[in-house]
Amino acid sequence: MKLDGLQYRVHSSSRTIEVEDSCKVLSDLWKTDKDFLNKSIDNDVSKSFKEFRLSDVARSYRSPYGTNGALSILNQTIDDLVQIHDFIDSKRKEWLEQLKKIIEQARDKQSTIRQTMTELRDNYEKAQRKLETADANLKKFQSRSDRLTLANFDERLRELEDIRTECEQARTLSRDIYSTETYKVSSEEHSITVKLFYQYLYEENQFYNDVSKYLSSKMPEIEQRIENDELIPLFGYDLVKHCSKRSENLIAYPIEICIRLLENSLNEEGLFRIAPSHGKQKKLVSEINLQIIDKASTLSELNYDPHVPASTLKQYLRELPDCLLTNALLSQWNDVISIRLSSISTNSNGIENDLTYYETIKTHWFCDFSAD
């Protein structure tokens, strides 16, 4: 829609006010972002963990593995955390410097617009008042009752008319200057948007991109170290990954320990059926997770009855992420059972077939048990 002259002047005036106010809002961000940036959480986090790492406990704690007593997985990760937050804090300070420049530009722009428009508006209002005074004086002089007998009336009238004309011209000039400046500020809306507001978002995006790239480069390293940690809890941990770490023995540590503890207790009544003391089982699970039980340890030395390692072994198998026969091969195991059941049904009845049938049923039950 095309605007006429008056509408365009009103529209431009509104845009000028909008541009000025938006610059003011941006400049006022200094009051909030400055505090946020100067008192960043990253600096606080880094400071807190640095103090922790300097404590006697943190400095003396080493991993029980490795000949050189390497840093524990916790301390290594805390060191990474400190390093990451130091990096973020440094980038945040760089962002602060860029933000300061943008805010200073916004403040200068807002101040210039306000000062210029105020002066021009005052000039226009003064010119308008002078014109109104000159017009009133002219009308008053023209309406005098003695104008016909007053000496030099015509000359005085021309002087007042000239004064009014000059005032009107001055008023028109002030209005044009004010309108020109209004149009000028309105025309700067695009450049102000780009130089200030877009630039603000650009610097913010740059900050978060830098942080994201840095974290993306650090996280795989941290994740790999955590994955390779020899003290990772074994219950609920992937069986293949655990066994691949045991170069000297491919049997899972929990299975090996439980079987060794049960070597001389296979004739125990109710083995794998009678539930042991819950507290003792939790204790054995914790000891196995920490891998602190020696292979030569016995039940009497550990003060456990046979039901404790038996139930612990069942718990370990039950908590494996993948079933014992593996989900990938479960369908093939079921196919084997189906084939055996089919072959039994086609043969004649007899004791041998009955035994085969019961063996198949037990295999089927074992597959179902291992899949749970």
Side-chain angles (χ1 to χ4, degrees):
M1 181 180 67
K2 190 174 182 180
L3 304 177
D4 60 28
L6 177 60
Q7 289 176 321
Y8 191 81
R9 285 196 296 273
V10 172
H11 179 67
S12 297
S13 179
S14 299
R15 290 179 68 185
T16 301
I17 295 172
E18 179 185 6
V19 169
E20 179 188 349
D21 288 350
S22 64
C23 290
K24 182 179 185 301
V25 171
L26 186 57
S27 64
D28 286 344
L29 286 178
W30 181 254
K31 300 173 184 176
T32 55
D33 281 9
K34 178 183 178 183
D35 293 336
F36 170 71
L37 292 167
N38 285 342
K39 300 177 182 178
S40 69
I41 186 175
D42 301 290
N43 184 51
D44 293 339
V45 169
S46 179
K47 181 180 178 182
S48 298
F49 279 108
K50 282 179 181 177
E51 292 175 354
F52 167 76
R53 287 291 284 113
L54 292 174
S55 66
D56 293 337
V57 173
R59 283 189 298 176
S60 61
Y61 181 52
R62 293 289 186 271
S63 172
Y65 296 100
T67 56
N68 297 325
L71 288 174
S72 69
I73 189 71
L74 175 60
N75 277 346
Q76 290 183 68
T77 306
I78 289 176
D79 288 344
D80 286 326
L81 189 147
V82 170
Q83 183 180 358
I84 288 171
H85 280 283
D86 281 344
F87 175 84
I88 296 175
D89 192 54
S90 67
K91 287 298 177 181
R92 197 182 295 273
K93 289 176 181 176
E94 292 178 11
W95 179 29
L96 171 61
E97 292 303 317
Q98 297 301 322
L99 180 61
K100 284 169 60 178
K101 295 177 182 178
I102 295 172
I103 288 176
E104 286 170 1
Q105 293 178 43
R107 184 182 293 114
D108 292 343
K109 192 65 181 178
Q110 186 253 342
S111 176
T112 301
I113 293 174
R114 183 179 66 247
Q115 182 177 352
T116 302
M117 298 307 296
T118 299
E119 290 177 357
L120 295 179
R121 185 167 54 250
D122 289 345
N123 291 340
Y124 172 76
E125 290 174 352
K126 288 178 183 178
Q128 178 66 26
R129 287 194 295 270
K130 286 183 179 181
L131 175 60
E132 291 172 355
T133 301
D135 189 59
N137 290 337
L138 177 60
K139 289 180 179 179
K140 182 179 179 181
F141 186 77
Q142 288 175 333
S143 62
R144 289 183 60 161
S145 58
D146 59 346
R147 62 182 180 279
L148 297 177
T149 60
L150 185 64
N152 301 324
F153 175 81
D154 292 338
E155 183 180 349
R156 179 58 180 161
L157 179 62
R158 282 194 297 273
E159 289 178 359
L160 291 175
E161 288 176 344
D162 291 342
I163 292 173
R164 185 190 181 284
T165 300
E166 290 176 2
C167 289
E168 186 174 15
Q169 291 174 348
R171 194 276 306 267
T172 301
L173 179 61
S174 298
R175 184 187 62 193
D176 290 344
I177 293 174
Y178 181 79
S179 298
T180 300
E181 188 63 27
T182 300
Y183 297 153
K184 177 177 176 293
V185 174
S186 298
S187 67
E188 292 177 347
E189 179 182 348
H190 178 79
S191 62
I192 288 174
T193 301
V194 173
K195 292 179 181 178
L196 299 181
F197 293 90
Y198 170 77
Q199 190 64 28
Y200 179 90
L201 293 174
Y202 174 83
E203 296 297 341
E204 190 171 33
N205 180 63
Q206 193 69 30
F207 164 70
Y208 286 111
N209 278 343
D210 289 343
V211 172
S212 178
K213 289 178 182 177
Y214 185 73
L215 286 174
S216 297
S217 67
K218 293 292 292 183
M219 290 307 294
E221 174 188 335
I222 297 172
E223 290 168 357
Q224 187 62 45
R225 185 172 63 243
I226 291 175
E227 181 63 29
N228 293 336
D229 181 28
E230 296 186 51
L231 280 180
I232 190 169
L234 302 181
F235 280 72
Y237 185 60
D238 186 85
L239 182 63
V240 175
K241 290 181 179 179
H242 167 56
C243 291
S244 64
K245 296 178 182 180
R246 306 194 73 207
S247 55
E248 76 286 353
N249 194 336
L250 294 180
I251 300 176
Y253 178 81
I255 296 177
E256 181 182 11
I257 294 300
C258 290
I259 294 300
R260 287 185 181 277
L261 292 175
L262 290 171
E263 278 181 335
N264 299 320
S265 304
L266 297 180
N267 295 325
E268 180 74 20
E269 183 179 353
L271 195 63
F272 291 104
R273 292 201 311 272
I274 297 177
S277 165
H278 184 62
K280 287 191 174 184
Q281 182 174 339
K282 287 181 64 177
K283 181 173 179 289
L284 180 57
V285 169
S286 299
E287 291 171 338
I288 290 176
N289 269 332
L290 291 173
Q291 303 182 45
I292 59 176
I293 298 180
D294 188 79
K295 298 176 184 178
S297 299
T298 62
L299 286 175
S300 58
E301 291 174 348
L302 299 175
N303 194 27
Y304 292 136
D305 61 68
H307 301 293
V308 176
S311 184
T312 301
L313 177 59
K314 289 168 61 179
Q315 179 181 342
Y316 174 74
L317 297 176
R318 186 167 55 248
E319 293 182 4
L320 286 173
D322 194 6
C323 63
L324 191 60
L325 299 180
T326 74
N327 287 319
L329 299 177
L330 185 58
S331 60
Q332 297 181 38
W333 282 103
N334 288 331
D335 290 342
V336 171
I337 296 170
S338 300
I339 293 172
R340 295 187 66 184
L341 287 173
S342 176
S343 64
I344 291 171
S345 63
T346 58
N347 292 332
S348 58
N349 294 329
I351 296 177
E352 183 179 352
N353 288 330
D354 289 341
L355 291 175
T356 305
Y357 174 78
Y358 286 119
E359 288 175 2
T360 304
I361 293 299
K362 286 191 290 183
T363 305
H364 195 180
W365 174 86
F366 180 70
C367 290
D368 289 341
F369 170 79
S370 301
D372 291 337

